[in-house]
Amino acid sequence: GQQVMQIPQYQHVQEGEDFTTYCNSSTTLSNIQWYKQRPGGHPVFLIQLVKSGEVKKQKRLTFQFGEAKKNSSLHITATQTTDVGTYFCALPVGSNYKLTFGKGTLLTVNP
Amino acid sequence: KAGVTQTPRYLIKTRGQQVTLSCSPISGHRSVSWYQQTPGQGLQFLFEYFSETQRNKGNFPGRFSGRQFSNSRSEMNVSTLELGDSALYLCASSLGLAGRSYEQYFGPGTRLTVT
């Protein structure tokens, strides 16, 4: 079956440092979504990528979809304490497009 | 526009009991998905309903069931509760099937504790 791997599992950075999380699939994807969950909160949709090689930016966040549509990354430039949380990728699996979440990357930021 | 609401927010049950959780999606959303979240397992997909039909199902035992009503509201039921069912149960709604490029909006969750 389709494998979803998200790395790293944890990342601790100093405020101002950059951060990247990666999501890899064993099969070609039709799309990929990214969510953020703050501690004690619920996941919140960040963005969706659909096209091969697509790059989207939201302020300090940059999202990329691989050329082969099998991997994606989320990069945060100059992290702030407000970036703390768990970042999940989510991708459709199977003929009914079941949305499957990666294990997530927990980001902590030291002020 | 009101967000996704879930009731109850907190619940304590004992082993062997059953529980029903409720989810009201955003108005106009026809798809409702349920997830179980635990510290060790992350977000585990339970099922997705669209227009009152279950369209996707996760790898959970038959003790976990759900349904969706004509107004898109959804309920999930867990029978014969086990200690391992203690978790945060999240409901999410979307305009269409989530995996078909529709963003999901999550509710605040129901924290279930089984003793």
Side-chain angles (χ1 to χ4, degrees):
Chain A
Q2 185 172 18
Q3 303 279 339
V4 182
M5 181 169 291
Q6 190 173 354
I7 55 172
Q9 194 173 356
Y10 307 97
Q11 183 80 60
H12 178 75
V13 300
Q14 289 293 124
E15 191 171 21
E17 292 182 338
D18 291 357
F19 158 78
T20 305
T21 174
Y22 302 89
C23 186
N24 299 301
S25 167
S26 57
T27 59
T28 303
L29 303 169
S30 59
N31 68 85
I32 191 166
Q33 300 178 9
W34 286 92
Y35 291 79
K36 176 186 178 181
Q37 184 174 20
R38 287 200 162 98
H42 55 272
V44 173
F45 175 83
L46 292 176
I47 209 153
Q48 177 175 259
L49 304 171
V50 178
K51 299 176 183 176
S52 167
E54 189 169 19
V55 178
K56 287 188 176 181
K57 294 191 176 184
Q58 290 180 349
K59 297 182 181 178
R60 295 177 295 102
L61 276 62
T62 301
F63 303 84
Q64 291 190 348
F65 204 6
E67 293 290 341
K69 299 181 76 174
K70 286 187 175 183
N71 56 73
S72 180
S73 65
L74 185 173
H75 179 82
I76 302 178
T77 303
T79 55
Q80 299 175 358
T81 54
T82 54
D83 296 325
V84 164
T86 301
Y87 293 85
F88 294 96
C89 62
L91 46 94
V93 172
S95 57
N96 281 336
Y97 297 85
K98 180 173 72 176
L99 196 66
T100 300
F101 281 72
K103 293 286 190 186
T105 296
L106 173 60
L107 171 65
T108 55
V109 179
N110 198 30
Chain B
K1 188 187 272 190
V4 178
T5 58
Q6 291 186 245
T7 56
R9 293 291 312 278
Y10 303 92
L11 205 50
I12 299 176
K13 291 284 189 178
T14 55
R15 277 180 297 175
Q17 288 187 313
Q18 73 165 16
V19 66
T20 299
L21 311 181
S22 181
C23 172
S24 292
I26 290 173
S27 177
H29 284 193
R30 297 171 65 189
S31 176
V32 173
S33 297
W34 288 89
Y35 298 88
Q36 181 194 66
Q37 187 170 38
T38 57
Q41 295 298 317
L43 271 168
Q44 299 285 305
F45 174 83
L46 281 156
F47 21 68
E48 180 175 23
Y49 287 87
F50 180 82
S51 295
E52 302 178 67
T53 302
Q54 187 181 89
R55 299 302 181 100
N56 282 299
K57 190 176 188 308
N59 297 323
F60 279 81
R63 300 185 296 107
F64 291 81
S65 63
R67 58 178 177 169
Q68 186 180 34
F69 302 97
S70 58
N71 61 358
S72 293
R73 191 177 68 85
S74 178
E75 288 181 347
M76 68 162 281
N77 184 277
V78 188
S79 63
T80 319
L81 284 166
E82 301 177 359
L83 294 179
D85 297 333
S86 294
L88 179 67
Y89 289 87
L90 291 160
C91 160
S93 76
S94 52
L95 284 169
L97 289 177
R100 282 190 177 271
S101 306
Y102 289 98
E103 63 187 85
Q104 289 189 308
Y105 294 82
F106 281 80
T110 294
R111 173 74 60 186
L112 172 65
T113 301
V114 182
T115 62

